[in-house]
């Protein structure tokens, strides 16, 4: 067993930042990375009330633990967790159970918001009634549901567990779809414009591998089963391609992310800001006459519900 670079008397548990580290040093490293991302992008101001989207997976569970530890240092005055239940039978029930018990273990207030209650439709219903891409429909509803969850919990910031690799995949997906205007959404912090709650991603500079190891070494129980609808997603295809590239050209993931990030940041800086309109149906802030949730509701024939 190799020794920790900082404490030679301890055996190392993790290889991170080109060094072998014991578990406490590795925890400090991951927490310092998140803290520095928070400071660098002004993600949290003293007194902020933060709602973490807790899926029951490793990334969001690790984020909840990190924010719980960092809360007094970064000035979080209220930390809550919200789990979305999209209505995917045989999959989401286990995740909800795991998320609930993890939030209890951390003594963090937790609530579950189901698509059925919020929108009157479950993802399984959409799957059986339509041939449309489920992940994109799910993404539209998830964004709205998390906004509602945060507002109902009295929070003014939403935090998600997206890692450096998640951001690389999303950046590339937006380029492949020819939607450069959506690149702004992949920023570590997206500003809240009227009616939207700002979103932050404190793991934006942390690798998937380090987040997984952090969860594992912390003894976090997380769901390993993948969503059954994921196999048809563009994200999975992009992930597979990026992993193949990584095998033949190590660090290509990071290089690609940095290149697209530069283009994104330039685009954000040059984009004029137009005031948002209100959706003609639900009144939610929207760039178009109808928001995406109401467009989806019309296409699929369900009630948009609480907007
Ligand atoms: Fe929704 Fe797709 Fe994620 Fe499944 S994989 S939860 S359908 S976004």
């Amino acid at each position: 067993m190799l020794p920790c670079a900082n404490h030679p008397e301890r055996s190392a548990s993790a290889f991170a930042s080109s060094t072998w580290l014991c578990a406490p040093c590795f925890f400090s490293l991951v927490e310092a990375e998140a803290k520095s991302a928070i400071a660098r992008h002004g993600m949290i101001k003293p007194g902020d009330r933060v709602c973490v989207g807790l899926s029951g997976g490793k990334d969001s569970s690790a984020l909840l633990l990190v924010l719980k530890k960092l809360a007094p240092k970064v000035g979080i005055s209220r930390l809550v967790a919200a789990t979305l239940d999209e209505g995917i039978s045989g999959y989401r029930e286990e995740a909800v159970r795991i998320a609930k018990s993890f939030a209890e273990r951390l003594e963090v207030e937790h609530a579950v918001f189901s698509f059925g209650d919020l929108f009157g439709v479950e993802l399984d219903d959409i799957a059986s009634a339509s041939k449309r891409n489920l992940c994109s429909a799910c993404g539209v509803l998830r964004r709205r549901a998390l906004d509602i969850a945060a507002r109902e919990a009295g929070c003014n910031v939403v935090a998600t567990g997206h890692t450096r690799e998640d951001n690389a995949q999303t950046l590339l997906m937006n380029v492949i779809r020819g939607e450069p205007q959506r690149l702004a959404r992949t920023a570590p912090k997206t500003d809240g414009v009227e009616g939207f709650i700002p979103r932050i991603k404190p793991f934006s500079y942390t690798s998937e591998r380090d987040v997984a190891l952090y969860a594992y070494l912390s003894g976090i129980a997380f769901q390993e089963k993948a969503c059954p609808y994921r196999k048809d997603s563009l994200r999975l295809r992009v992930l597979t391609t990026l992993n193949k590239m990584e095998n033949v050209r190590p660090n290509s993931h990071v290089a690609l992310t940095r290149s697209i990030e530069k283009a994104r940041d330039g685009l954000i800086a040059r984009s004029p800001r137009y005031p948002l309109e209100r959706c003609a149906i639900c009144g939610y802030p929207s760039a178009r006459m109808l928001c995406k949730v109401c467009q989806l509701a019309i296409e699929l024939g369900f009630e948009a519900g609480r907007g």
Side-chain angles (χ1 to χ4, degrees):
M1 189 64 94
L2 289 162
C4 167
N6 302 330
H7 306 96
E9 72 284 7
R10 297 186 196 160
S11 39
S13 310
F15 185 68
S17 295
S18 311
T19 344
W20 283 98
L21 297 171
C22 62
C25 287
F26 176 68
F27 292 150
S28 304
L29 179 88
V30 172
E31 287 152 20
E33 252 171 19
K35 189 162 173 258
S36 122
I38 289 170
R40 183 165 155 199
H41 294 278
M43 291 183 185
I44 294 171
K45 302 182 299 305
D48 272 347
R49 304 168 308 279
V50 179
C51 174
V52 176
L54 181 66
S55 68
K58 59 184 175 7
D59 301 346
S60 60
S61 301
L63 178 66
L64 186 64
L65 178 56
V66 166
L67 289 184
K68 170 91 182 170
K69 291 189 190 176
L70 291 181
K73 296 179 195 154
V74 298
I76 295 175
S77 65
R78 175 168 164 75
L79 183 67
V80 304
T83 301
L84 306 181
D85 178 356
E86 303 89 345
I88 306 172
S89 60
Y91 166 67
R92 196 43 102 194
E93 301 88 341
E94 183 195 20
V96 168
R97 258 196 324 275
I98 292 174
K100 191 165 175 275
S101 114
F102 185 58
E104 261 169 30
R105 177 183 140 192
L106 295 190
E107 298 180 342
V108 169
E109 195 185 314
H110 175 248
V112 180
F113 290 79
S114 77
F115 280 11
D117 288 346
L118 296 177
F119 309 114
V121 71
E122 302 202 321
L123 212 63
D124 286 342
D125 302 331
I126 300 180
S128 43
S130 148
K131 295 242 172 297
R132 83 177 330 280
N133 181 299
L134 280 179
C135 286
S136 75
C138 184
V140 167
L141 299 179
R142 287 172 66 85
R143 281 188 78 76
R144 176 66 59 87
L146 209 44
D147 245 42
I148 295 172
R151 258 190 286 136
E152 292 202 355
C155 292
N156 64 332
V157 176
V158 166
T160 60
H162 292 92
T163 61
R164 192 176 68 194
E165 284 82 353
D166 291 327
N167 285 341
Q169 292 151 25
T170 311
L171 285 165
L172 198 54
M173 283 160 64
N174 288 333
V175 172
I176 291 170
R177 287 195 192 112
E179 295 180 328
Q181 73 281 6
R182 288 167 64 113
L183 288 178
R185 281 207 197 157
T186 61
K189 178 185 180 193
T190 49
D191 283 337
V193 281
E194 19 142 7
F196 285 114
I197 298 190
R199 281 169 185 253
I200 62 168
K201 299 173 192 161
F203 285 155
S204 284
Y205 301 102
T206 308
S207 73
E208 183 101 41
R209 181 185 149 277
D210 285 357
V211 172
L213 197 53
Y214 185 94
Y216 175 74
L217 292 175
S218 305
I220 296 175
F222 52 84
Q223 188 181 37
E224 295 188 42
K225 193 172 179 180
C227 171
Y229 300 126
R230 188 168 183 256
K231 59 184 187 316
D232 302 320
S233 69
L234 174 61
R235 180 171 293 276
L236 187 61
R237 292 194 181 107
V238 166
L239 168 70
T240 311
T241 309
L242 286 175
N243 284 346
K244 276 188 195 156
M245 272 174 55
E246 191 72 35
N247 282 340
V248 287
R249 200 182 160 99
N251 274 329
S252 53
H253 226 125
V254 177
L256 177 80
T257 315
R258 288 205 182 120
S259 309
I260 308 180
E261 273 173 355
K262 273 191 196 149
R264 175 196 67 201
D265 294 344
L267 197 78
I268 294 173
R270 286 196 309 275
S271 300
R273 296 212 165 185
Y274 299 109
L276 286 176
E277 298 185 31
R278 294 268 154 188
C279 170
I281 295 179
C282 70
Y284 212 75
S286 167
R288 307 235 169 99
M289 197 171 79
L290 293 186
C291 71
K292 292 232 170 190
V293 173
C294 287
Q295 286 175 29
L296 198 62
I298 292 170
E299 180 193 328
L300 300 171
F302 66 89
E303 291 282 330
R306 286 192 273 168

